Amino acid sequence: MRLIRRSSLILLAICLASALAVFMVASRTATGIYMAEGRARAEALLGLTIQALDGHLRRFEVVPDLLADQERVLRLVQNPTDAARIEAMNLWLQARNAELDSSDIYIMTPDGVTIAASNHHRADSFIGQNFTYRPYFTAALAGQTGRFYAIGTTSGVRGYYFAAPILDENNATVGVVAVKIGLDVIEAEWRAQDAAIMVTDPEGIVFLASDSGLRYQGLLPLTPDRLARTAASRRYADVPVSEMAVTQADDLLTMDGHEYLTAQELMPRAGWTVHVLLDAAYLRAQARLAALAFLGAALAVVLLIWQRRARLTERLALQLQTKAELERRVAERTADLAQANALIETEIAERRLTEQELRRTQSDLVQAGKLAALGQMSAALSHEINQPLAAARNYADSAAILIDRGDGVRAKENVGQILSLIDRMAAIARHLRNVARKPDAPLQDIVLRDAVAEALALVAPRLLQVAVDLPDDLPPVRGGPVRLQQVLVNLLSNAADAMAESGALRIEVTGRRAAGRVLLTLRDYGPGVPAAIADRIFDPFFTTKSVGSGLGLGLSISYNIMKDFGGDLRVANHPEGGAVFTLDLQASVARQEAAE
Ligand code: ADP
């Protein structure tokens, strides 16, 4: 807990320090920018101020010269006591002064006494005043254009003085014309500016200023020399001049504890220096404000980024959580599946085991079946062979006795019986050979009508009624003629056997085509084949007949022969009684095509 508080305190300190550093750098940069901009503004304003001031002065610069050239002016200074001339001149000067919008116009004799003036009618008139102390007068008297800025010693009004010499025909200076102009209008214009403007005289004393409080203050140290020069010209009349605490470093001026950004330029003709002062503190405050705004913006950006990051982190955490949940579910499902899989595998294994057992049981059964068939066969064979053997032996014994008795005829009969018994046994052997043999005799086309007729001819003595229905267009079938006859005789004999008891002795033979095949059915009117033995009657050695009456090979051999023909042998019971054996045979392709 303490550790967290300490680390968050450190973080806060780092943040504050970073903010401070950003603010300092921004403030410094902004100050530089604002100062440069202020400097440019000050320079521009300075240019405009000088232009306006110069233009104003120029308007009046030539006025004294023009007046001095006037005939009447010369005549006046040549007759300084002519009251009528003075009176006329006063009025004329008053009119010119009004025209020019100047402050005062007046004429002086070479000894500095004013003899005529535009303000002749006023109480503070210049008439009779001596202005020899004014530098403009001395300059004009010396034949130059005099110019001077000062406070009127008589009027106490500030003004700029231009003076020109009045020359006689011999080019001698016989008087001086002076024009005083006011600069209050210009000063008033400056007040509308957002910068302080002031003009200093060659001694560094402010005499024009947008802020009246600055007037008559010395920007330069008021040395005795400067004070003496100022006093001699009575520039500022009786107004006291004071020194200001001023320090200047480059364009930064500190005045009365206030710092200003300044631009200054000398106006050589007037001998003035014009100063434009911009409040540096205001500029710095603006720069600080801008830096603060920047810091605010930077903080807002940082906060925004931080917020976005926080949101992103939150979203990521949520995603991770969802992923983990998903993975957990997948794992759960996988485990379930694995379990189910294991179960299935166990089941499969069990089934395999069961299957194996089944197979084993099946093969056991097959083995048992084979043994049973072998047993059946042995019983049948032993009976079939033992019986004729025993009979043959009896006949042989009797024949021996009859020969002894000399009864050759009866002995011969006995031998004949023995021979027939041997034939019977040979027939059994042939039967057995047929079962075992796999005939590979080639198949041929057989006309069913002929085959049926031949077979019926052999069995006919055992039957009473025979109905044959074989359509004329019935195609020949594929098979071996002798083997097919063997099958037919077999089936017909079985039918006769089955009907022997009931004595119905009727048989129906029907043939029909079915999709490339020929179906031949033999229906009898016997008891039919019981369902219990229907699927066993084609097995070898299966018989229901008493020993000695049948070997149980007939249907088995017939079935195999039909398979050899590419056909089939099926049994069913007729709904109205009696067995129906169907021979399914291949129709001859060539004949069938010819028929179609
Ligand atoms: P076998 O005639 O020597 O018994 P088969 O293989 O020819 O041998 O016949 C097997 C058995 O099928 C017969 O024992 C008999 O039970 C039965 N069977 C054959 N044909 C018919 C038939 N038409 N009607 C009833 N049962 C038949």
Side-chain angles (χ1 to χ4, degrees):
M1 195 61 189
R2 217 180 214 181
L3 209 70
I4 292 172
R5 269 184 59 188
R6 222 177 120 184
S7 66
S8 55
L9 269 176
I10 290 172
L11 195 73
L12 190 73
I14 289 173
C15 284
L16 281 174
S18 310
L20 198 70
V22 168
F23 176 71
M24 301 261 278
V25 172
S27 174
R28 212 169 165 166
T29 313
T31 305
I33 293 168
Y34 273 83
M35 283 301 198
E37 195 248 352
R39 219 162 275 143
R41 198 143 53 88
E43 290 290 348
L45 190 58
L46 180 66
L48 285 172
T49 307
I50 288 174
Q51 238 174 26
L53 207 52
D54 205 37
H56 192 69
L57 295 180
R58 269 176 202 277
R59 264 184 70 206
F60 296 96
E61 197 173 11
V62 292
V63 173
D65 282 317
L66 292 172
L67 291 175
D69 279 350
Q70 294 284 320
E71 180 70 28
R72 65 173 75 194
V73 172
L74 179 65
R75 294 287 163 256
L76 177 75
V77 288
Q78 282 173 338
N79 305 284
T81 51
D82 187 337
R85 271 185 202 273
I86 290 170
E87 181 63 29
M89 182 55 74
N90 276 343
L91 290 173
W92 189 73
L93 287 179
Q94 191 182 349
R96 300 291 80 71
N97 189 50
E99 268 171 24
L100 292 166
D101 199 20
S102 48
S103 178
D104 304 286
I105 306 175
Y106 47 103
I107 298 168
M108 290 157 283
T109 52
D111 55 359
V113 177
T114 310
I115 52 170
S118 59
N119 57 15
H120 60 95
H121 54 289
R122 290 203 327 238
D124 55 355
S125 167
F126 289 175
I127 292 184
Q129 298 287 335
N130 192 306
F131 293 118
T132 40
Y133 57 89
R134 291 294 203 192
Y136 65 84
F137 177 78
T138 37
L141 205 63
Q144 298 156 2
T145 301
R147 26 172 103 233
F148 189 62
Y149 179 79
I151 296 178
T153 42
T154 316
S155 63
V157 176
R158 288 175 305 154
Y160 193 81
Y161 300 82
F162 287 108
I166 306 165
L167 303 171
D168 65 3
E169 296 78 4
N170 305 321
N171 244 4
T173 308
V174 287
V176 169
V177 180
V179 176
K180 180 184 176 186
I181 56 167
L183 294 173
D184 296 6
V185 194
I186 299 248
E187 224 178 24
E189 277 173 15
W190 291 351
R191 277 180 210 121
Q193 301 292 342
D194 61 349
I197 301 172
M198 58 185 192
V199 179
T200 50
D201 70 8
E203 309 302 343
I205 298 166
V206 179
F207 61 87
L208 278 177
S210 53
D211 174 5
S212 57
L214 292 172
R215 262 183 233 150
Y216 315 120
Q217 308 256 12
L219 291 188
L220 300 172
L222 290 176
T223 55
D225 280 1
R226 286 192 177 123
L227 282 175
R229 278 197 294 271
T230 307
S233 65
R234 299 200 60 203
R235 190 192 285 272
Y236 300 118
D238 302 321
V239 177
V241 174
S242 57
E243 192 180 316
M244 248 192 305
V246 169
T247 49
Q248 183 153 12
D250 292 332
D251 52 3
L252 282 176
L253 184 84
T254 312
M255 208 161 69
D256 275 349
H258 264 84
E259 198 184 31
Y260 296 96
L261 183 71
T262 112
Q264 58 208 48
E265 195 175 322
L266 184 73
M267 284 175 70
R269 264 204 304 194
W272 300 345
T273 305
V274 181
H275 305 256
V276 169
L277 298 124
L278 285 180
D279 192 348
Y282 175 70
L283 290 175
R284 284 188 206 284
Q286 270 191 320
R288 266 198 301 275
L289 214 66
L292 259 174
F294 176 77
L295 186 69
L299 268 173
V301 167
V302 166
L303 264 172
L304 205 77
I305 292 171
W306 180 76
Q307 202 182 12
R308 286 192 71 173
R309 268 197 62 181
R311 226 178 277 160
L312 207 75
T313 317
E314 207 175 296
R315 217 178 296 158
L316 263 172
L318 203 76
Q319 269 178 7
L320 278 176
Q321 204 179 333
T322 317
K323 204 177 145 196
E325 173 66 12
L326 212 73
E327 273 172 5
R328 192 185 61 76
R329 272 197 224 157
V330 167
E332 244 176 47
R333 290 296 296 273
T334 312
D336 284 355
L337 279 174
Q339 208 174 351
N341 210 16
L343 223 78
I344 289 171
E345 271 173 12
T346 321
E347 259 175 43
I348 289 174
E350 277 172 9
R351 280 215 186 137
R352 279 212 187 109
L353 216 68
T354 316
E355 210 175 84
Q356 272 173 8
E357 270 171 26
L358 256 173
R359 280 221 189 93
R360 211 170 13 231
T361 315
Q362 203 176 30
S363 70
D364 286 355
L365 275 174
V366 168
Q367 195 62 27
K370 277 183 190 165
L371 286 173
L374 201 65
Q376 254 180 340
M377 187 182 83
S378 312
L381 277 180
S382 64
H383 184 86
E384 287 294 326
I385 290 165
N386 280 344
Q387 199 243 344
L389 273 177
R393 188 181 170 83
N394 286 341
Y395 281 124
D397 284 345
S398 303
I401 293 166
L402 288 170
I403 289 166
D404 282 347
R405 285 185 194 159
D407 190 350
V409 179
R410 283 186 60 195
K412 207 174 172 187
E413 273 174 19
N414 276 14
V415 170
Q417 288 295 339
I418 291 169
L419 282 173
S420 83
L421 284 169
I422 288 172
D423 284 346
R424 189 174 150 194
M425 285 189 286
I428 290 170
R430 228 182 5 259
H431 246 311
L432 285 173
R433 223 182 23 250
N434 270 347
V435 176
R437 191 172 61 98
K438 178 100 183 163
D440 47 1
L443 301 181
Q444 60 188 80
D445 291 352
I446 301 162
V447 179
L448 266 183
R449 191 181 295 277
D450 302 343
V452 170
E454 277 170 30
L456 279 171
L458 288 172
V459 192
R462 297 187 59 196
L463 299 168
L464 285 177
Q465 252 186 306
V466 178
V468 180
D469 177 16
L470 293 171
D472 292 337
D473 62 346
L474 208 59
V477 295
R478 300 290 292 164
V482 179
R483 282 178 287 160
L484 180 59
Q485 200 184 60
Q486 192 183 345
V487 172
L488 289 172
V489 169
N490 237 326
L491 293 174
L492 290 170
S493 307
N494 275 350
D497 290 345
M499 294 184 291
E501 256 181 50
S502 64
L505 296 176
R506 175 185 163 81
I507 196 139
E508 288 166 9
V509 181
T510 317
R512 64 187 168 90
R513 300 173 62 161
R517 309 198 69 84
V518 173
L519 302 175
L520 186 72
T521 53
L522 277 71
R523 184 211 164 170
D524 60 46
Y525 284 79
V529 181
I533 60 162
D535 53 349
R536 292 174 59 202
I537 57 171
F538 297 107
D539 290 349
F541 301 108
F542 178 83
T543 180
T544 55
K545 292 168 190 168
S546 58
V547 177
S549 313
L551 263 180
L553 286 174
L555 283 182
S556 166
I557 291 168
S558 302
Y559 182 85
N560 286 325
I561 290 173
M562 287 306 290
K563 288 286 169 190
D564 288 345
F565 291 173
D568 198 9
L569 180 61
R570 295 185 287 269
V571 67
N573 285 319
H574 197 277
E576 289 163 17
V580 181
F581 281 86
T582 303
L583 286 85
D584 185 340
L585 288 149
Q586 262 187 315
S588 158
V589 181
R591 281 299 194 88
Q592 197 186 2
E593 277 173 2
E596 284 163 0

